[in-house]
Amino acid sequence: MNTMGNNYVELLALVYFKDKGKEYDFSELRYILGLTQFQLDELISSLFEKNYLEYIDYEMHLSEKGLSYIKQEQALKHEYKSDEKHLSVIHKEKAISLDTIYVPKKFDRKI
């Protein structure tokens, strides 16, 4: 990944930590950024080396330097939006009976 790409990924990760606070989830972050576990470990290490992240009471937090970096890059207005709200809504009128076999869309039934 080139330097510009690294900076963008760093910025996205920092915005994630800003918005999630103590509720961060490495699996979620790895999924959002499309990284392998090794790449995520390297990214987190890099953010600590640059003092963008810090530990407070054994939990990771965005540091003042990290927040300043987000402001400098004009990314403060960006935020992480979870689909969690949309996923937790169940529309009873659209629900199928539990006795009906559910076949996912584009499921190939050929054996």
Side-chain angles (χ1 to χ4, degrees):
M1 195 180 313
N2 60 28
T3 306
M4 188 173 144
N6 283 337
N7 290 344
Y8 183 69
V9 171
E10 284 182 353
L11 197 55
L12 290 176
L14 292 173
V15 168
Y16 175 85
F17 282 108
K18 176 184 73 69
D19 290 344
K20 293 296 272 190
K22 294 179 182 180
E23 303 298 319
Y24 62 85
D25 179 344
F26 286 127
S27 297
E28 180 179 52
L29 181 59
R30 190 172 68 112
Y31 175 77
I32 292 166
L33 298 177
L35 301 176
T36 65
Q37 186 62 50
F38 178 77
Q39 289 171 320
L40 181 62
D41 293 343
E42 292 288 312
L43 173 64
I44 298 298
S45 293
S46 172
L47 294 175
F48 271 105
E49 288 172 10
K50 294 177 180 182
N51 296 315
Y52 292 158
L53 291 178
E54 62 187 358
Y55 281 109
I56 300 175
D57 294 329
Y58 305 103
E59 292 182 317
M60 282 195 311
H61 293 270
L62 183 65
S63 69
E64 286 298 318
K65 185 175 180 182
L67 186 58
S68 294
Y69 176 67
I70 291 172
K71 288 178 183 177
Q72 171 190 331
E73 296 296 319
Q74 300 176 352
L76 199 54
K77 293 181 182 176
H78 296 290
E79 62 183 36
Y80 166 72
K81 293 184 181 178
S82 174
D83 287 337
E84 207 170 273
K85 293 177 189 172
H86 303 291
L87 295 175
S88 64
V89 176
I90 297 174
H91 299 283
K92 292 181 183 178
E93 65 277 359
K94 294 182 182 178
I96 60 174
S97 165
L98 293 177
D99 296 327
T100 304
I101 296 172
Y102 174 73
V103 179
K105 295 177 183 176
K106 298 183 182 180
F107 182 76
D108 189 0
R109 296 176 65 160
K110 296 178 185 176
I111 298 178

